[in-house]
Amino acid sequence: MSSNNLRAKAMGWGLLALVRMLTGAQARWYGCPPKAEQRIYFANHQSHADLVMIWAALPEELRSITRPIAAKDYWTKSDFKRWITTAVFNAVYVERERKEGEDPLQPLIEALEHGDSLIIFPEGTRGHAEEPQPFKAGLYNLAQRFPHVVLVPAWIDNIQRVMPKGEVVPVPILCSVTFGEPVQLREGEDRKEFLERARQAVIALRDV
């Protein structure tokens, strides 16, 4: 194992310990068990720590096959951010600004074609409201293209209080991730209907 891989592994264990110390990183599986199958975990998004929270909540055997998506403009601003998202999380970078002639979903499509699982945030950006913003079309497009991939809703509770938008020092607060019953794109279901149903599946986990 190279020295870079050793550093990444050590950083991963360090982050895992830190997240569990600060938040508990409690995983609650209500609609499906943790299982090593190809999945897209989709969740509410209120903090930069969301991807770390879900990553930490997954069992080790699932972390190794699951890649979070990360906003390229933010997570490549420094060498450290780039290193931690690539070497530790094996994240998939996405562009938040759509460029002419480019499909923003292409990096996700390539990861799914490779057999990876993904952690995505269908709102596209962090929100401040109690409920998630309307979901963007990406989840629907991926569900159409990869009907065999299991879509698992997840509700991240309290993480926005650990590291609110604009803050850099985390506050210890008990947090949890609740994983729900998988949803599927129904035959003939249109985009708007599916995205709202998927959003409601996430919201329903808030009170479980």
Side-chain angles (χ1 to χ4, degrees):
M1 184 180 288
S2 71
S3 59
N4 188 54
N5 286 342
L6 284 172
R7 284 197 299 273
K9 198 170 183 64
M11 176 61 81
W13 282 111
L15 275 173
L16 197 59
L18 178 64
V19 170
R20 286 179 174 169
M21 180 182 72
L22 289 173
T23 72
Q26 184 183 10
R28 308 165 73 221
W29 297 87
Y30 275 85
C32 63
K35 186 177 178 182
E37 61 185 2
Q38 193 176 24
R39 291 177 166 180
I40 297 175
Y41 301 93
F42 60 98
N44 55 318
H45 191 24
Q46 296 191 313
S47 166
H48 280 310
D50 288 342
L51 72 86
V52 183
M53 186 68 191
I54 292 191
W55 176 82
L58 293 174
E60 182 176 4
E61 64 271 22
L62 299 190
R63 285 200 302 274
S64 64
I65 59 172
T66 304
R67 305 176 66 187
I69 67 165
K72 187 174 183 179
D73 59 305
Y74 178 83
W75 288 103
T76 59
K77 277 185 176 177
S78 68
D79 290 342
F80 177 72
K81 284 182 178 178
R82 182 185 291 273
W83 177 76
I84 201 168
T85 45
T86 54
V88 179
F89 296 120
N90 192 23
V92 180
Y93 289 130
V94 292
E95 298 278 2
R96 288 193 285 195
E97 295 295 329
R98 185 161 192 165
K99 298 177 180 176
E100 188 175 351
E102 292 185 6
D103 181 358
L105 290 181
Q106 190 56 37
L108 283 68
I109 291 169
E110 291 172 4
L112 290 169
E113 287 176 340
H114 187 259
D116 298 323
S117 292
L118 294 176
I119 298 168
I120 71 172
F121 303 99
E123 297 168 77
T125 187
R126 289 169 292 154
H128 297 293
E130 188 174 338
E131 294 190 349
Q133 304 169 82
F135 285 1
K136 295 189 173 179
L139 183 63
Y140 173 79
N141 294 333
L142 293 175
Q144 272 194 318
R145 183 155 181 162
F146 297 94
H148 64 284
V149 177
V150 179
L151 308 177
V152 178
W155 177 264
I156 305 171
D157 191 43
N158 246 354
I159 193 68
Q160 72 277 12
R161 295 174 61 195
V162 175
M163 189 175 287
K165 196 169 185 175
E167 298 294 330
V168 294
V169 179
V171 179
I173 292 176
L174 189 63
C175 301
S176 65
V177 181
T178 303
F179 298 93
E181 184 177 356
V183 300
Q184 285 184 306
L185 178 62
R186 296 169 179 158
E187 187 174 349
E189 189 173 27
D190 68 24
R191 182 174 65 185
K192 184 178 179 181
E193 182 182 354
F194 170 76
L195 291 175
E196 181 55 24
R197 187 164 61 84
R199 178 174 170 271
Q200 290 300 325
V202 171
I203 294 172
L205 297 171
R206 178 180 55 190
D207 302 319
V208 170

